[in-house]
Amino acid sequence: MSTAFFIPTVNLMGAGCLTEAVESIKSQGFKKGLIVTDKVLNQIGVVKQVADLLSDRGVDTVVFDGTQPNPTIGNVNAGLDILMTNECDFVISLGGGSPHDCAKGIALVASNGGKIADYEGVDQSAKPQLPLIAINTTAGTASEMTRFCIITDEERHIKMAIVDKHTTPLMSVNDPELMLAKPASLTAATGMDALTHAIEAYVSVAATPITDAVAIKAIELIQAHLRTAVNDGQNLEAREQMAYAQFMAGMAFNNASLGYVHAMAHQLGGFYDLPHGVCNAVLLPHVQRYNAQVCPERLKDVARAMNVDVANLTDEQGAEAALEAIMQLSKDVGIPAGLTELGAKAEDINVLTENALKDACGLTNPKQATHEEIAAIFEAAL
């Protein structure tokens, strides 16, 4: 069976690589870029830092800072209006997963026309998006290097999963100096998001030797460095290792896809406007307990990567050890114990389940679930 491997053409990593990125933008002849970001990064001066570096090299920029934590169709439309009005020839996403996803939506519609909802699903576009340079400021979503774009439909109260090779950025930039001093809660949520990416990719039915290798290494790095990054936000080494970890987790899920953790978390985010990484972290052990019915040996590998001695454990015992390690890491970095703490309600489980079963991320889960089984996982996670 043939497989395809998607990744941006250029991926810059390491402290100070932002300067190299702006030099590359200049060398490619871009004239005016739309910087897609959020108000916080604009207010604290990160946007100005990037805009000034580009201006010094003769590249003009305009800013759209209206991206919400769960970017919406309205956000995409507002950013697209600014892009078209200013005749921008490329897009820069600056931030975490939300600005990256919003920028992908803008860039995709800019080149393909129509509206972003037209591209829900897998490979629905005809042409590559407008060139996108994705500059990352968090270590978690890996949206700076993936073909995944998640946009909230405000009317339907769901998150649309757009999985399209044409949304792959031209260049990704992971400079850990931009990740310093981020709040502990954000560091924890994005770090657990990365762990979820790696584990779901590793147990995916579409996993390959390539995705397995980077998924396991990502898990090892997250286990080793996430606690430090949360407790000491100025630790550049921990930030850099987490940047590598989330990038490798992105390589894994960008090509092996995901599973029911994301299919279910998308519904929680769309319905309640909850933080994606936290939803993933809460759901992760519950979904993997379900998956352990069919792939306990894979979850035993996860336990080993999380520094658990599994030498004398059966596959089933190893899988249980993986769940315990996941829950301990979540507890150590301050993730809530259940969905009830986030505001989820038992009476909403039926509609959440119906929508989760329609999410494209569930297609590669190692065991396909019934409505009753997904509802039971939601209930267990409350």
Side-chain angles (χ1 to χ4, degrees), residues 112-197:
N112 283 273
K115 54 187 184 297
I116 190 60
D118 297 337
Y119 306 106
E120 183 177 6
V122 180
D123 288 335
Q124 296 299 307
S125 70
K127 297 185 294 185
Q129 65 185 1
L130 209 63
L132 172 61
I133 311 296
I135 302 172
N136 210 18
T137 64
T138 64
T141 71
S143 186
E144 84 283 355
M145 56 79 62
T146 71
R147 61 196 170 110
F148 284 68
C149 172
I150 309 299
I151 303 295
T152 297
D153 183 326
E154 306 97 316
E155 292 186 3
R156 291 187 289 163
H157 298 289
I158 65 165
K159 284 191 174 185
M160 300 184 296
I162 298 162
V163 186
D164 197 311
K165 60 182 179 292
H166 288 149
T167 66
T168 304
L170 180 67
M171 177 194 299
S172 76
V173 182
N174 273 284
D175 186 336
E177 291 181 354
L178 295 174
M179 302 175 185
L180 295 174
K182 293 298 185 296
S185 59
L186 176 63
T187 302
T190 54
M192 291 302 295
D193 191 16
L195 181 68
T196 305
H197 293 156

Side-chain angles (χ1 to χ4, degrees), residues 339-354:
L339 298 176
T340 301
E341 292 183 46
L342 301 176
K345 299 180 175 63
E347 57 263 34
D348 298 327
I349 286 177
N350 186 58
V351 66
L352 292 170
T353 298
E354 288 179 0

Side-chain angles (χ1 to χ4, degrees), residues 135-360:
I135 302 172
N136 210 18
T137 64
T138 64
T141 71
S143 186
E144 84 283 355
M145 56 79 62
T146 71
R147 61 196 170 110
F148 284 68
C149 172
I150 309 299
I151 303 295
T152 297
D153 183 326
E154 306 97 316
E155 292 186 3
R156 291 187 289 163
H157 298 289
I158 65 165
K159 284 191 174 185
M160 300 184 296
I162 298 162
V163 186
D164 197 311
K165 60 182 179 292
H166 288 149
T167 66
T168 304
L170 180 67
M171 177 194 299
S172 76
V173 182
N174 273 284
D175 186 336
E177 291 181 354
L178 295 174
M179 302 175 185
L180 295 174
K182 293 298 185 296
S185 59
L186 176 63
T187 302
T190 54
M192 291 302 295
D193 191 16
L195 181 68
T196 305
H197 293 156
I199 292 174
E200 288 215 285
Y202 191 70
V203 302
S204 164
V205 296
T208 69
I210 297 174
T211 62
D212 284 352
V214 289
I216 289 295
K217 187 61 179 179
I219 295 167
E220 292 174 352
L221 289 175
I222 293 165
Q223 170 67 23
H225 297 285
L226 178 57
R227 292 176 178 87
T228 302
V230 170
N231 293 325
D232 180 8
Q234 290 297 110
N235 189 309
L236 188 62
E237 173 65 14
R239 293 292 190 183
E240 183 157 330
Q241 293 305 309
M242 282 302 300
Y244 275 108
Q246 68 91 33
F247 186 88
M248 286 188 286
M251 290 175 67
F253 90 83
N254 195 36
N255 296 282
S257 196
L258 294 159
Y260 284 138
V261 179
H262 275 75
M264 296 169 70
H266 288 159
Q267 312 322 313
L268 293 166
F271 201 82
Y272 301 113
D273 197 25
L274 296 174
H276 175 66
V278 176
C279 293
N280 276 341
V282 174
L283 288 167
L284 181 58
H286 299 282
V287 173
Q288 299 318 312
R289 177 164 280 114
Y290 173 79
N291 290 340
Q293 299 173 73
V294 295
C295 60
E297 73 288 348
R298 289 241 136 190
L299 289 167
K300 182 180 178 182
D301 292 341
V302 169
R304 184 184 295 109
M306 296 189 75
N307 206 30
V308 177
D309 183 359
V310 298
N312 297 315
L313 301 183
T314 66
D315 289 346
E316 290 72 22
Q317 290 170 333
E320 185 61 34
L323 304 183
E324 293 173 3
I326 291 166
M327 290 186 286
Q328 186 61 56
L329 180 57
S330 284
K331 182 179 179 181
D332 290 349
V333 298
I335 297 295
L339 298 176
T340 301
E341 292 183 46
L342 301 176
K345 299 180 175 63
E347 57 263 34
D348 298 327
I349 286 177
N350 186 58
V351 66
L352 292 170
T353 298
E354 288 179 0
N355 290 332
L357 287 168
K358 299 172 186 175
D359 192 293

Side-chain angles (χ1 to χ4, degrees), residues 97-113:
S98 297
H100 297 319
D101 282 2
C102 187
K104 289 176 182 179
I106 293 167
L108 193 66
V109 177
S111 60
N112 283 273

